[in-house]
Amino acid sequence: MEKWLKTENRPVIDIVNIVAGIALALSPWYLGFTAETYAAWNAWIAGAVIALIAVGALVAFHAYEEWANLVVGLWTLVSPWAVGFSGLAAAMWAHVIVGVIVAALAAGSLWFFGNRPLSTA
């Protein structure tokens, strides 16, 4: 476990976030919900924001980028119910899956790479 917590492994998280953001941005086309305005626009905007934040974190890491990805990931997770497209199964699951992945990776990055000492007990 300690091997994965080294800072040189942190870019893997950003690459996964880039892929997740691009997948969410493309999901209205390959899952077929482009006609659903709220779901499609939410996927396009949230996916682009996730990917752009992750690219910024990949170039120069700052903790605020992970906080921003945590917020966008949590929004993506709850947006099917907040915006009202939870009845569209494909759109809902795309948002929930990407939201969980992005929020969990951002929270993990903040926790493990936040210069906290590992437990010595």
Side-chain angles (χ1 to χ4, degrees), residues 2-121:
E2 214 171 300
K3 182 171 109 177
W4 285 101
L5 298 179
K6 297 191 186 293
T7 55
E8 57 265 7
N9 291 328
R10 196 198 48 75
V12 173
I13 293 172
D14 299 325
I15 292 169
V16 171
N17 278 338
I18 291 169
V19 171
I22 291 171
L24 183 63
L26 296 176
S27 67
W29 289 293
Y30 65 80
L31 294 178
F33 60 91
T34 54
E36 303 298 331
T37 307
Y38 296 130
W41 275 100
N42 193 68
W44 292 326
I45 293 170
V49 169
I50 290 168
L52 290 174
I53 291 171
V55 166
L58 192 61
V59 171
F61 176 75
H62 297 287
Y64 66 83
E65 294 160 337
E66 297 303 324
W67 281 107
N69 249 349
L70 178 64
V71 169
V72 176
L74 291 174
W75 166 254
T76 304
L77 176 64
V78 300
S79 64
W81 295 275
V83 177
F85 59 88
S86 62
L88 301 167
M92 182 198 62
W93 283 111
H95 282 80
V96 168
I97 290 169
V98 170
V100 166
I101 289 170
V102 171
L105 288 176
S109 178
L110 286 168
W111 181 261
F112 290 118
F113 300 115
N115 293 325
R116 290 185 179 87
L118 295 175
S119 176
T120 57

